[in-house]
């Protein structure tokens, strides 16, 4: 509800230029999380850079693996024949979350950068949240926290990352390719997100060397977020315990994923993968 | 037209709803309207130390920032007693006190909704916060016994026989404490109001309300106006469920603001603001004791319930009521205490009392059935109450036995092994559970009019409301059948206080109350027309006996000689009248003194539980209900199913989570407050037993809006026990309670 400027660049370089020109700009793709956060007053960007015109919507084979553009919708990725056949875990993980309407809008890049649904983070009328206001404390630590992390948390933050998809991508040992003002680089998916530690406000390793992610020169555009290695996908299945079904977590879709679970690599190993990342989602809400 | 009542007529309002043409409260096109947004408290208890509004007042297009510092003071709301019923005590910026989280503490009015929202975020509030009081268990001793209990005004305690003696003589005893959580109303359409001062003394309100006449009376009293100066309009509702029964603070605030800015004001309650100012279902703590002989005879039954009310009003979640009357039990006692808490007013939510009360009672009954090694249905039949053991009266009708039989057969209950954790498919544990449903049959005074117009059209009016339940449709059916035309010829209007007065659509009473009024008015019109025909010398039916005159297909004619007849228009035009009207003033008689009136039902649920992870889903559910005459097979089925589905929600998902340090609802949105979506719900079957009950009301309907949720959560929880061997006594049954 605060005034902001809006720009809609056509190229990645234009997007980066716009990003560097206005401090604390935000890229917007599907907007399924950012708009909520703006309405709540959690995010207050002075500029929105709409990246939906950028040519980042392809899913293509590369070196026997798969390269997925940052602007591919969650729905398109989950239903893509190559992903369904070679990386079913990714398809299952995407379909295990949100709703069809949200998945239609949500992008693969945005899914990585969505922010925690911790109650105390999401509502700025709670004074304490180290992620929102560094140094303010953690209201969840001794508050209502049954949906919070059981592994990987710190005294500063016990929030979990909300993405199902990211868990699958970590299991698949994917790679994130990014482009920033200083050029392009690749980040191993498992290294993309950070545990909260002492700086829960720094959620990813998009910046390095201790640079605050809000620094205007530290921004990166997710260009081709996922490079999936050859042959990694078939032995993983999506596995998720939660209070309720949500859209395809129940009914027919669910049955399929559960039976697939039995022929996967074994639940204990999958579980370890899940929980090893950012105190991730077990048990989790839908 | 005969036999229309009961037919699965499509919804009269279906087409306008699915095409987006149905106009809901907030959508009325009122010229010159401005937009109000509430500022609500972020503490649960304390005072406003300061409230800074300068920045908000200077924001774009802002017309008014109203707080307790500048609000008009309303004498009628300043002497609110602490025992006001829900919705009577309103928080309309009269002082600096904060009693609950999300209490309205300010109102911002701007030319656009966006500007109002933006300005509301600029209001800076400093509080003197005090520790919130929200925990029930630790404050039970602070509870008090209210004078009355529940919507029907039943006593808050009851006693017959000697429960202690009954427990002593029992072969098996179950004594357990059961909990149901806070639940918050989340109909698809949140509350919304448009207030329009037509003159300084005349107010029109477009309101999302279940009771237009109640809203009219409340608003009139607050502003010291005669009720006739207030008009309330509410043609469509996106769900009510009890939330929209009372008239809450935002309605008064909208009217206050409209007066201040001298413009019509639109006010929508946001989804997070639904958590507090507009009613919620209290948490309950129910201590139940059952004693039984080894043959299954209940020797003692007790329920001591504690629930919350607000700091300023009184509401009793009357969970003890089913314990009093559902089973034959000569030694029976119940008590009900309420504890004042820093919550918005606890209030009516679908089957208030019965939904929570049947959970605890019916789970306790299941526990006793296991203790006795008896089939849960057989145990209930063993203690079947042939008359009302509480009021010592005969039932007006009771077909519960038939409900057990039909639902059980449909479900396949006879194939159920008694032993828990005995059905399994791979890693999935399967369980079957059942419970009894019960809800009282209510009726209030109601009025309706039926007119045959000179052009031959037939219009029927009754104030009333359609919550989405099918009121338009069933009233049309009743009018058509009672008068003798096809439903297409009926123009039925509701939702406006200029129409005949009707009661609140709450307590499942609309069909019984207003349905009876519509029936009587339509019959009165029919009789009037027949009288006109036989006394009119120019009519072909002149001199005929009333019994010999038929009314059908838009005309009246002699049964003995169908050629001798005429159209409605011909008859009316000779009379010179613009219309002929039949009216009805329908109210309950003495039936309540002679009979105990309830709808009953039986519900059976199958759950599937992951043996390792405790994930629960309800794969199928069968309910059979006996609720008098069913007026529309299609809308009734939806009502029953809706209740059953909410029961699943109550059993597995719903809980308004409170941070007890802050006294705030942390999950105040539909992403975190879980309600089931379509994919969560398996196969739901709603059956019913046709009952003919001449005692309850002229239309013979018991009301079906609430009975579906009663017993449903217990059936699911009992099925979870059967699947897992784990007894969960506090809802919702989440996976952590099953795996830890």
């Amino acid at each position: 509800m605060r005034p902001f400027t809006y720009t809609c660049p056509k190229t990645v370089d234009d997007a980066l230029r716009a990003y560097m020109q206005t401090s604390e700009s935000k890229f917007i793709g599907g907007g399924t999380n950012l708009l909520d956060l703006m309405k709540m007053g959690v995010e207050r960007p002075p500029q929105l850079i709409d990246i939906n015109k950028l040519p980042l919507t392809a899913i293509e084979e590369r070196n026997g693996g798969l390269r997925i553009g940052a602007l591919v919708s969650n729905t398109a990725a989950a239903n893509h024949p190559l992903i369904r056949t070679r990386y079913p875990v990714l398809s299952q993980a995407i379909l295990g979350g949100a709703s069809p309407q949200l998945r239609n809008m949500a992008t693969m890049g945005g899914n990585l950068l969505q922010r925690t649904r911790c109650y105390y983070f999401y509502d700025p009328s709670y004074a304490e949240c180290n992620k929102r206001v560094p140094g303010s404390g953690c209201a969840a630590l001794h508050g209502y926290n049954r949906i919070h992390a059981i592994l990987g948390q710190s005294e500063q933050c016990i929030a979990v990352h909300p993405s199902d998809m990211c868990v699958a991508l970590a299991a698949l040992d994917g790679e994130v390719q990014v482009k920033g003002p200083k050029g392009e680089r690749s980040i191993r998916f498992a290294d993309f997100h950070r545990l909260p530690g002492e700086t829960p406000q720094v959620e990813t390793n998009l910046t390095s060397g201790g640079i605050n992610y809000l620094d205007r020169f530290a921004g990166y555009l997710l260009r081709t977020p996922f490079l999936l290695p050859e042959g990694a996908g078939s032995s993983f299945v999506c596995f998720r315990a939660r209070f309720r079904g949500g859209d395809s977590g129940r009914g027919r879709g669910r049955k399929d994923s559960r039976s697939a679970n039995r022929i996967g690599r074994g639940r204990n190993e999958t579980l370890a993968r899940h929980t090893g990342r950012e105190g991730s989602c077990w048990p989790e809400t839908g | 037209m005969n036999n229309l009542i009961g037919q699965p007529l499509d919804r009269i309002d279906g087409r306008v709803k699915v095409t987006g043409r149905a106009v809901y409260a907030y959508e009325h096109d009122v010229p010159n309207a401005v937009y109000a947004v509430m500022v609500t408290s972020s503490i649960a208890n304390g005072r406003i130390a300061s409230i800074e509004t300068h920045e908000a007042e200077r924001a774009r297009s802002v017309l008014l920032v109203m707080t307790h510092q500048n609000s008009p003071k309303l004498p009628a709301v300043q002497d609110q007693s602490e025992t006001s019923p829900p919705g009577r005590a309103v928080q309309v910026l009269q002082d600096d006190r904060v009693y609950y989280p999300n209490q309205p503490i300010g109102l911002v009015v701007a030319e656009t909704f966006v500007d109002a929202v933006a300005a509301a975020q600029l209001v800076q509030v400093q509080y003197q916060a005090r520790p919130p009081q929200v925990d029930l268990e630790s404050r039970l001793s602070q509870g008090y016994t209210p004078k009355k209990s529940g919507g029907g005004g039943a006593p808050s305690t009851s006693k017959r026989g000697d429960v202690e003696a009954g427990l002593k003589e029992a072969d098996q005893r179950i004594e357990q404490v059961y909990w149901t959580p806070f639940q918050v109303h989340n109909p698809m359409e949140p509350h919304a109001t448009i207030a329009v001062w037509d003159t300084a003394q005349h107010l029109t309100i477009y309101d999302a309300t279940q009771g237009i006449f109640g809203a009219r009376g409340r608003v009139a009293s607050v502003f010291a106006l005669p009720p006739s100066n207030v008009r309330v309009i509410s043609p469509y509702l996106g769900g009510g469920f009890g939330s929209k029964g009372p008239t809450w603070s935002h309605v008064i605030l909208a009217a206050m603001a409209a007066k201040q800015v001298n413009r019509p004001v639109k006010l929508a309650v946001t989804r997070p603001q639904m958590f507090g100012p507009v009613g919620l279902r209290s948490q309950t703590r129910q201590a139940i004791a059952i004693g039984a002989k080894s043959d299954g005879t209940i020797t003692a039954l007790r329920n001591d319930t504690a629930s919350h009310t607000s700091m300023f009003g009184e509401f009793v979640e009357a969970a003890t009521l089913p314990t009093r009357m559902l089973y034959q039990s000569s030694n029976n006692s119940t008590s009900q205490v309420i504890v004042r808490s820093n919550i918005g007013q606890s209030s009516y939510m679908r089957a208030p009392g019965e939904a929570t009360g049947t959970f605890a009672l019916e789970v306790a009954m299941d526990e006793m059935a296991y203790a006795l090694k008896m089939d849960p249905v057989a145990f209930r039949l063993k203690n079947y109450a042939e008359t009302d053991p509480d009021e010592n009266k005969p039932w007006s009708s009771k077909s519960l036995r038939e409900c057990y039989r039909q639902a059980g057969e449909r479900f396949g209950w006879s194939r159920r092994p008694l032993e828990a954790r005995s059905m399994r498919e791979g890693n999935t544990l399967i369980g079957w559970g059942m419970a009894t449903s019960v809800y009282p049959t209510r009726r209030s005074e109601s009025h309706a009019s039926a007119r045959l117009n000179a052009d031959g059209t037939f219009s029927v009016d009754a104030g009333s409301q359609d919550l989405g339940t099918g009121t338009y449709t069933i009233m049309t059916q009743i009018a058509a059948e009672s008068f003798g035309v096809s439903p297409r010829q009926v123009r039925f209007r509701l939702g406006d206080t200029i129409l005949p007065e009707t009661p609140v659509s709450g307590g499942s009473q609309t069909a019984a109350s207003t349905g009876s009024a519509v029936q009587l008015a339509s019959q009165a019109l029919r009789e009037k027309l027949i009288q006109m025909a036989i006394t009119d010398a120019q009519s072909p039916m002149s001199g005929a006996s009333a019994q010999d005159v038929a009314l059908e297909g838009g005309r009246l004619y002699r049964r003995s000689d169908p050629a001798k007849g005429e159209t409605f228009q011909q008859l009316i035009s000779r009379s010179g009248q613009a219309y002929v009207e039949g009216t009805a003033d329908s109210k309950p008689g003495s039936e309540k003194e002679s009979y105990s009136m309830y709808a009953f039902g039986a519900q059976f649920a199958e759950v599937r539980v992951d043996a390792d992870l405790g994930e629960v889903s309800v794969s199928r559910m069968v309910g059979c209900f006996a609720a008098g005459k069913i007026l529309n097979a299609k809308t009734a089925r939806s009502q029953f199913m809706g209740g059953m589905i909410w029961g699943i929600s109550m059993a597995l998902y719903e809980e308004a989570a409170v941070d007890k340090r802050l006294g705030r609802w942390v999950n105040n949105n539909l992403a975190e407050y879980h309600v089931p979506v379509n994919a969560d719900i398996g196969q739901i079957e709603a059956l019913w037993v046709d009952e003919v009950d001449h005692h309850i009301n002229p239309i013979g309907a018991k009301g079906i809006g609430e009975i579906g949720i009663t017993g449903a959560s217990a059936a699911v929880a009992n099925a979870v026990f059967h699947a897992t061997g784990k007894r969960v006594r506090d809802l919702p049954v989440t996976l952590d309670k099953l795996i830890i």
Side-chain angles (χ1 to χ4, degrees):
Chain A
M1 289 307 168
R2 282 164 187 75
F4 56 84
T5 59
Y6 170 86
T7 179
C8 187
K10 301 261 189 323
T11 69
V12 171
D13 288 338
D14 284 350
L16 285 174
R17 258 190 295 281
Y19 186 82
M20 290 171 67
Q21 275 160 14
T22 305
S23 168
E24 296 177 36
S25 290
K26 285 278 174 191
F27 296 116
I28 183 166
T32 56
N33 188 216
L34 181 60
L35 294 185
D36 272 2
L37 293 167
M38 287 173 69
K39 287 176 190 169
M40 292 300 294
V42 177
E43 298 276 14
R44 303 171 174 196
Q47 174 173 251
L48 280 188
I49 304 166
D50 183 342
I51 56 171
N52 284 296
K53 294 276 197 302
L54 304 188
L56 303 174
T57 56
I59 297 176
E60 54 203 2
E61 289 187 83
R62 180 169 294 196
N63 303 331
L66 215 55
R67 187 172 187 252
I68 307 167
L71 290 170
V72 170
S73 76
N74 282 185
T75 299
N79 294 329
H80 195 279
L82 287 176
I83 292 177
R84 285 173 68 107
T85 51
R86 292 190 199 167
Y87 307 99
V89 63
L90 178 57
S91 180
Q92 291 161 8
I94 293 171
L95 295 175
S99 66
Q101 292 90 338
L102 284 167
R103 294 194 296 264
N104 287 343
M105 289 302 293
T107 64
M108 296 298 276
N111 194 311
L112 267 64
L113 294 171
Q114 62 179 312
R115 309 201 67 191
T116 183
R117 305 301 197 268
C118 171
Y119 317 120
Y120 302 96
F121 168 77
Y122 229 80
D123 183 347
S125 71
Y126 291 109
E128 292 178 317
C129 176
N130 286 326
K131 195 183 270 298
R132 184 159 38 75
V133 184
S136 61
C138 174
L141 197 58
H142 300 292
Y144 188 88
N145 56 19
R146 72 190 290 279
I147 68 162
H148 288 69
I150 51 174
L151 294 169
Q153 76 275 32
S154 71
E155 286 294 302
Q156 278 65 46
C157 184
I158 60 172
V160 296
H161 193 274
S163 173
D164 292 296
M165 187 187 88
C166 288
V167 179
L169 287 170
L172 292 170
D173 205 15
E175 186 182 303
V176 185
Q177 295 185 336
V178 298
K179 182 169 186 178
K182 294 174 187 166
E184 296 193 29
R185 69 186 168 111
S186 291
I187 306 170
R188 202 178 152 231
F189 197 89
D191 297 329
F192 184 81
H193 293 103
R194 294 164 58 106
L195 290 174
E198 296 298 308
T199 53
Q201 73 275 20
V202 185
E203 295 175 346
T204 69
N205 282 317
L206 277 174
T207 61
S208 56
I211 304 169
N212 187 319
Y213 85 119
L214 292 176
D215 186 296
R216 58 181 294 185
F217 298 111
Y220 283 83
L221 182 65
L222 280 158
R223 189 171 163 213
T224 52
F226 319 117
L227 214 51
L228 299 176
E230 183 184 0
S234 56
S235 58
F236 285 95
V237 292
C238 180
F239 171 77
R240 185 179 200 251
R242 57 188 188 175
F243 300 150
R244 58 168 281 196
D247 183 63
S248 51
R250 288 276 183 273
R252 274 181 213 143
R254 178 175 181 272
K255 215 173 260 172
D256 294 341
S257 73
R258 297 316 306 270
S259 53
N261 185 27
R262 311 284 165 222
I263 54 167
R265 203 183 258 188
R267 54 173 55 196
N268 288 337
E269 185 173 344
T270 318
L271 243 191
R273 290 269 188 169
H274 275 240
T275 51
R277 294 184 32 69
E278 215 173 35
S280 189
C281 51
W282 191 83
E284 220 220 335
T285 58
Chain B
M1 299 287 272
N2 292 324
N3 304 319
L4 269 171
I5 293 175
Q7 293 299 311
L9 194 71
D10 286 343
R11 282 172 190 274
I12 299 295
D13 49 333
R15 183 172 289 270
V16 293
K17 282 185 174 168
V18 299
T19 54
R21 285 179 289 136
V23 180
Y24 290 81
Y26 198 69
E27 302 170 339
H28 287 272
D29 188 13
V30 176
N32 214 21
V34 292
Y35 296 81
V37 170
M38 288 197 293
V39 179
T40 59
S41 67
S42 60
I43 63 164
N45 186 18
R47 287 178 183 274
I48 298 165
S50 72
I51 187 160
E52 177 54 55
T53 59
H54 291 303
E55 208 186 332
E57 281 161 358
R58 283 195 298 271
R60 190 171 65 192
S61 92
V62 169
L63 300 167
L64 173 69
V65 181
M66 189 161 66
T67 70
H68 70 280
Q69 293 164 340
N70 64 348
S71 66
K73 298 301 179 273
L74 300 168
V77 297
Q78 290 190 324
D79 59 348
Q80 299 179 123
S81 83
E82 289 203 339
T83 53
S84 303
R88 301 298 283 186
V90 288
Q91 292 72 51
V92 289
L93 316 178
Q94 299 295 293
D95 56 48
D96 62 356
R97 284 184 293 181
V98 176
Y99 299 102
Y100 61 93
N102 266 343
Q103 178 183 317
I105 55 170
L107 193 75
V108 176
V109 183
E111 293 281 354
T112 69
F113 173 70
V114 169
D115 287 346
V117 170
Q121 291 184 349
L122 299 174
V123 175
Q124 300 293 321
V125 187
Q126 302 291 327
Y127 301 96
Q128 287 172 347
R130 301 185 56 208
Q133 309 285 316
V134 285
D135 189 58
L136 189 61
E137 182 82 58
S138 63
R139 296 188 305 126
L140 284 175
S141 61
Q142 297 172 24
Y144 69 97
T145 304
K147 289 201 179 72
K148 293 283 182 190
S149 181
S156 47
T157 59
S158 70
K159 189 174 188 319
R160 60 177 182 266
D162 183 340
V163 166
E164 287 308 323
L167 285 170
K168 265 197 201 114
E169 67 170 294
D171 296 319
Q172 295 288 342
R173 279 169 287 274
I174 297 290
E175 292 185 72
Q176 291 290 350
V177 174
Y178 302 84
W179 290 86
T180 62
F182 283 112
Q183 290 176 272
V184 169
H185 278 288
N186 276 294
M188 284 292 275
E189 177 203 30
H191 289 260
T193 295
I194 306 174
V196 187
W197 288 92
D198 304 306
T199 74
Q201 296 293 315
H202 289 84
L203 179 62
T204 298
I205 292 191
Y206 301 87
D207 190 31
T209 177
Q210 291 171 239
I212 52 174
F213 290 95
R216 180 182 72 167
R218 182 63 184 141
V219 170
S221 81
V222 167
F223 292 100
L225 299 169
S228 56
N229 284 20
V230 179
R231 180 178 177 188
V232 179
I233 297 171
S234 185
Y236 298 104
L237 283 167
F241 309 109
S243 176
K244 293 165 182 167
T247 300
W248 303 106
S249 306
H250 66 278
V251 179
I252 309 299
L253 286 171
M256 288 165 70
K259 190 141 220 182
Q260 293 281 296
V261 300
N262 204 22
R263 302 265 296 273
V265 165
K266 288 190 167 196
L267 195 167
V269 174
T270 66
R271 186 61 66 185
Q273 289 171 347
M274 293 293 288
F275 287 68
V278 290
L280 49 84
R281 195 199 295 278
S282 171
Q283 180 187 38
T284 67
R285 177 194 190 275
Q286 301 180 54
I288 292 202
I290 307 181
K293 290 291 205 189
S294 50
D295 71 349
T297 305
I298 292 176
T299 58
L301 195 50
R302 183 174 64 206
N303 181 345
D304 296 312
T305 292
S307 61
H308 302 256
T309 191
S310 70
M311 289 291 177
F312 46 82
E314 189 169 288
F315 180 80
V316 184
E317 177 68 26
T320 58
L321 300 181
T323 300
R324 299 176 186 178
M325 48 61 67
L326 197 48
Y327 299 106
Q328 194 59 48
S329 48
S330 45
N331 302 308
N332 186 303
S333 82
T334 68
S335 74
Q336 196 81 55
V337 299
I338 50 178
V339 176
R340 290 205 175 278
S341 296
N342 289 114
I343 57 168
Q345 182 60 58
S346 49
S347 182
Y348 314 101
M349 182 182 285
R350 203 170 200 169
E354 287 80 11
T356 47
T358 50
F359 166 71
L361 174 63
E362 288 296 286
V363 172
M365 288 291 286
D366 199 62
E367 295 200 52
M368 180 54 92
Y370 278 95
L372 296 165
K373 298 187 170 55
M374 262 182 100
D375 174 78
V377 176
F379 176 49
R380 285 165 173 82
L381 288 172
K382 177 80 184 171
N383 296 283
Y384 196 84
E386 301 290 352
T387 57
D388 181 348
D390 182 37
E391 296 192 17
N392 237 337
K393 287 188 289 202
W395 308 109
S396 64
S397 59
K398 178 176 180 179
S399 311
L400 178 56
R401 237 186 222 106
E402 187 60 14
C403 292
Y404 289 135
R405 191 186 67 74
Q406 283 198 24
E409 278 178 12
R410 182 79 187 166
F411 186 85
W413 184 256
S414 62
R415 300 194 308 273
R416 174 182 183 267
L418 185 61
E419 200 188 331
R421 216 181 168 95
S422 58
M423 299 197 294
R424 193 178 182 119
E425 268 178 32
N427 212 40
T428 302
L429 305 173
I430 298 169
W432 291 359
M434 60 78 58
T436 309
S437 300
V438 63
Y439 191 79
T441 299
R442 303 184 203 280
R443 182 185 175 197
S444 299
E445 180 171 351
S446 191
H447 306 265
S449 70
R451 280 183 187 182
L452 189 64
N453 302 301
D455 63 0
T457 58
F458 176 50
S459 53
V460 180
D461 292 344
S464 204
Q465 304 76 211
D466 190 330
L467 282 56
T469 49
T471 307
Y472 278 109
T473 312
I474 61 164
M475 295 303 165
T476 300
Q477 283 172 278
I478 292 168
E481 177 170 319
S482 307
F483 181 61
V485 293
S486 95
R488 261 184 236 106
Q489 291 168 271
V490 180
R491 195 169 67 99
F492 177 70
R493 292 193 300 178
L494 57 68
D496 193 330
T497 51
I498 63 170
L499 304 175
E501 185 159 351
T502 56
V504 63
S505 290
S508 299
Q509 66 171 357
T510 296
S513 310
T514 305
S516 290
V518 165
Q519 180 191 43
L520 296 173
S522 304
Q523 287 170 346
L525 173 62
R526 179 192 175 98
E527 279 157 28
K528 208 165 178 180
L529 285 167
I530 291 172
Q531 282 305 315
M532 275 174 67
I534 62 181
T535 56
D536 181 345
Q538 294 175 47
S539 166
M541 287 149 288
S542 174
S545 73
Q547 290 77 22
D548 190 31
V549 179
L551 190 158
E552 199 186 327
R555 60 195 291 275
L556 298 108
Y557 60 89
R558 286 182 191 246
R559 290 179 203 278
S560 53
D561 185 0
K564 288 192 176 163
E566 63 181 334
T567 65
F568 294 156
Q569 289 100 316
Q570 286 169 321
L571 178 66
I572 296 180
S573 62
R574 273 200 312 280
S575 76
Q577 300 173 55
Y579 58 86
V580 181
E581 185 173 59
T583 59
D585 306 313
S586 155
K587 54 185 159 195
S590 61
E591 63 274 7
K592 212 175 170 184
E593 273 93 77
S594 315
Y595 296 99
S596 190
M597 299 176 287
Y598 287 87
F600 292 91
Q603 304 208 31
F604 294 75
E606 176 183 277
V607 300
R608 303 173 77 86
V609 184
D610 186 295
D612 298 329
L613 299 169
E615 282 182 300
V616 184
S617 63
V618 178
S619 42
R620 62 194 183 94
M621 204 159 172
V622 177
C624 182
F625 305 93
K629 186 184 283 179
I630 296 304
L631 303 174
N632 180 314
K634 188 176 280 185
T635 57
R637 181 171 169 271
S638 296
Q639 284 279 78
F640 290 135
M641 287 174 68
M644 293 166 76
I645 289 167
W646 198 345
I648 294 172
S649 182
M650 183 174 165
L652 300 182
Y653 307 125
E654 263 183 86
E655 177 174 19
V658 62
D659 181 327
K660 288 184 179 173
R661 303 164 312 160
L662 306 172
R664 297 183 61 186
W665 307 112
V666 292
N667 57 345
N668 60 351
N669 57 68
L670 286 178
E672 303 299 334
Y673 183 90
H674 289 173
V675 295
V677 298
N678 205 36
D680 291 318
I681 299 301
Q683 188 186 340
I684 305 279
E685 264 188 278
L687 319 170
W688 53 86
V689 177
D690 286 316
E691 278 185 322
V692 177
D693 188 329
H694 296 296
H695 304 301
I696 43 177
N697 51 62
I699 200 73
K702 287 184 173 175
I704 55 174
E706 292 165 271
I707 187 160
I709 192 174
T710 70
S713 63
V716 173
N718 292 341
V720 169
F721 175 78
H722 187 238
T724 64
K726 200 156 240 180
R727 184 65 73 178
V728 179
R729 301 185 183 90
D730 57 326
L731 293 182
V733 183
T734 48
L735 74 184
D736 50 322
K737 294 172 187 172
L738 295 174
I739 57 178
I740 293 168

